[in-house]
Amino acid sequence: MKTNQNLLFALLLISGGLASCNSSSTKNTAAADSVGTSTAGLKIPDSAAFEGQVDNKKVHLYTLKNQSGDQASITNFGARLVSLLVKDNKDQPVDVILGHDSLKPYQGKSENYFGAVVGRYGNRIAKGKFSVDGKSYQLEINNGQNTLHGGFNGFYKKVWDAKQIDDHTLELSYLAKDAEAGYPGNLNVKVTYSLEDDHSLKISYSATTDKTTVVNLTNHAYFNLNGAGDKTITDHMLTLEADGYTPVDTTLIPTGKIEKVAGTPFDFTKAKLIGANINDENAQLKNGKGYDHNWVLRKGTGLRKAATVSSSKTGIVMEVLTEEPGIQFYSGNFLTNDINNGKAGATYGYRSAFCLETQHFPDSPNQPSFPSTVLKPGATYHTITVYKFSVKK
Ligand code: BGC
């Protein structure tokens, strides 16, 4: 019965008829694989390939749907977004997220953090050192001389507790123990994914601690609006709601300055091709091997627009809204052609995806002039990011 429902769902989705499909979704239990391969390399993730046991905890794949025909697949291993199917200008579903077809490759020694929630501190902390409440802490050094995305075993490698609230909402929680990966405090983290009917994927993050600590959570999805597996993102148009960015040293640690983007390759105040200036002679671009920097978003309160990206091939437009002060625009410069275990056998190469990671600025714990990432007992960390999709016909 369940298999029949999934078969029906897959067929409806492939033919673009999901909006009329009313079948309710819970944790995937049937192998959609046998029915899921379709046009244009689109493959509905096979939930059976994500069933597993890691650190004595069960791993599953969960599916979210909305009334508008979009679908998101999320695994509780690393709280990762595995696929996100949205409609293109021909009303066909396109998977805009890079990733793998099964759990195993996500467990490998991957430095790519595909689709993951990264933490306890997203992005870099210089030499893995910081002090809070007069005590200094040493984190794991996993990126040159620095700590990146929480260390070797950050939140992206943990099995989160999952609760599917309804067919469009998944709640994930994780308790990061005091001293885990070197950070102080037991940190209770909750991340809620919800796929809204207005074609948006909303991610709400919250956390509390029992000792003063630092927190910076984000999602590390790699997007290609031409469809995952397409060769490049340099043909996408990008706008960033930012007049400044934080320049970095050769190890990608911010210098502490905020530079104006005007007159530089970092100016995305008006829609511009990602590839327009990416290969310019510029010391900062050289440090990142392309774009891999934090933009300082225009100040405002609450949820506000941070970025707009579009593909002329599919007509897909993605807006990013956030409550965070910064956004890391990373143009996939460290993706190399040896990632040959992508979805449906795809190879993911150099600049074949981009990340837009809403965040507090990198290395904030060591940069007194940056907005603070300190969380104290009694306070609640809370932030929302939304990826909203539409099409240009
Ligand atoms: C960083 C890049 C890094 C990538 C990991 C991004 O958030 O800014 O420098 O290579 O994550 O794949």
Side-chain angles (χ1 to χ4, degrees):
M1 179 59 195
K2 191 81 195 169
T3 309
N4 288 343
Q5 270 184 11
N6 277 315
L7 175 65
L8 180 65
F9 170 66
L11 291 172
L12 282 168
L13 182 68
I14 291 159
S15 66
L18 184 69
S20 58
C21 174
N22 219 4
S23 81
S24 77
S25 157
T26 54
K27 188 185 80 206
N28 291 356
T29 49
D33 195 29
S34 52
V35 295
T37 311
S38 76
T39 53
L42 179 69
K43 198 164 186 254
I44 317 287
D46 169 6
S47 56
F50 283 83
E51 293 290 311
Q53 182 111 354
V54 179
D55 300 335
N56 291 321
K57 284 174 140 186
K58 290 218 160 90
V59 176
H60 299 294
L61 189 71
Y62 299 82
T63 298
L64 304 184
K65 301 172 196 173
N66 60 15
Q67 293 297 312
S68 309
D70 310 310
Q71 177 178 304
S73 301
I74 295 150
T75 171
N76 58 327
F77 179 71
R80 290 172 191 251
L81 188 57
V82 170
S83 78
L84 182 57
L85 306 180
V86 297
K87 301 280 183 64
D88 68 6
N89 52 11
K90 297 190 185 79
D91 221 27
Q92 293 302 305
V94 174
D95 187 353
V96 293
I97 302 280
L98 272 61
H100 305 292
D101 285 331
S102 62
L103 171 63
K104 204 145 199 244
Y106 285 103
Q107 294 177 269
K109 202 184 149 287
S110 160
E111 262 77 60
N112 295 302
Y113 313 94
F114 281 129
V117 168
V118 289
R120 175 177 311 205
Y121 196 97
N123 214 284
R124 291 176 176 78
I125 294 185
K127 301 192 174 128
K129 286 188 202 308
F130 69 96
S131 301
V132 282
D133 278 354
K135 281 197 198 123
S136 41
Y137 295 93
Q138 178 65 58
L139 309 172
E140 299 162 0
I141 304 299
N142 64 331
N143 185 256
Q145 58 182 35
N146 303 316
T147 302
L148 176 63
H149 299 325
F152 289 112
N153 234 335
F155 295 178
Y156 61 97
K157 290 274 182 194
K158 303 295 183 188
V159 182
W160 295 56
D161 293 325
K163 194 159 117 197
Q164 182 136 17
I165 307 293
D166 52 37
D167 65 352
H168 65 279
T169 316
L170 179 71
E171 203 178 88
L172 296 155
S173 40
Y174 176 66
L175 169 65
K177 298 261 172 63
D178 185 23
E180 183 179 296
Y183 297 91
N186 289 297
L187 188 77
N188 258 302
V189 192
K190 197 158 94 183
V191 172
T192 306
Y193 283 94
S194 48
L195 193 60
E196 311 282 334
D197 290 339
D198 66 351
H199 298 288
S200 60
L201 180 70
K202 178 170 154 195
I203 313 180
S204 306
Y205 304 83
S206 62
T208 52
T209 183
D210 59 0
K211 251 189 209 173
T212 306
T213 191
V214 293
V215 188
N216 193 27
L217 302 177
T218 191
N219 182 283
H220 206 293
Y222 286 76
F223 295 94
N224 187 320
L225 305 184
N226 299 333
D230 186 89
K231 294 291 166 231
T232 193
I233 45 83
T234 52
D235 61 357
H236 288 44
M237 297 289 280
L238 171 68
T239 313
L240 293 171
E241 306 297 327
D243 303 306
Y245 77 107
T246 50
V248 290
D249 68 15
T250 54
T251 73
L252 296 178
I253 293 294
T255 60
K257 289 193 186 131
I258 294 177
E259 301 275 3
K260 289 209 157 59
V261 295
T264 78
F266 294 83
D267 189 351
F268 285 95
T269 51
K270 293 197 184 75
K272 182 172 88 176
L273 276 177
I274 289 178
N277 302 116
I278 202 167
N279 296 317
D280 284 10
E281 271 305 309
N282 175 287
Q284 277 299 316
L285 283 177
K286 203 167 157 209
N287 285 346
K289 300 195 165 30
Y291 295 111
D292 190 359
H293 298 75
N294 169 68
W295 269 253
V296 177
L297 296 169
R298 282 181 206 121
K299 287 206 170 71
T301 45
L303 199 61
R304 61 211 196 286
K305 190 146 79 165
T308 310
V309 201
S310 62
S311 153
S312 57
K313 275 194 189 165
T314 57
I316 295 173
V317 180
M318 179 176 84
E319 289 173 315
V320 183
L321 296 97
T322 190
E323 299 181 324
E324 289 297 297
I327 194 164
Q328 186 85 10
F329 166 48
Y330 168 54
S331 52
N333 316 304
F334 300 109
L335 289 176
T336 54
N337 285 318
D338 45 35
I339 306 168
N340 54 12
N341 55 1
K343 288 182 221 173
T347 297
Y348 298 141
Y350 181 58
R351 296 181 179 163
S352 65
F354 65 88
C355 301
L356 282 168
E357 300 153 69
T358 54
Q359 61 182 8
H360 272 56
F361 308 167
D363 199 33
S364 295
N366 297 306
Q367 304 276 359
S369 65
F370 289 177
S372 174
T373 52
V374 170
L375 181 70
K376 291 189 182 290
T380 302
Y381 168 94
H382 188 254
T383 190
I384 294 177
T385 288
V386 172
Y387 300 97
K388 186 171 191 308
F389 293 87
S390 56
V391 276
K392 262 193 225 156
K393 296 238 177 180

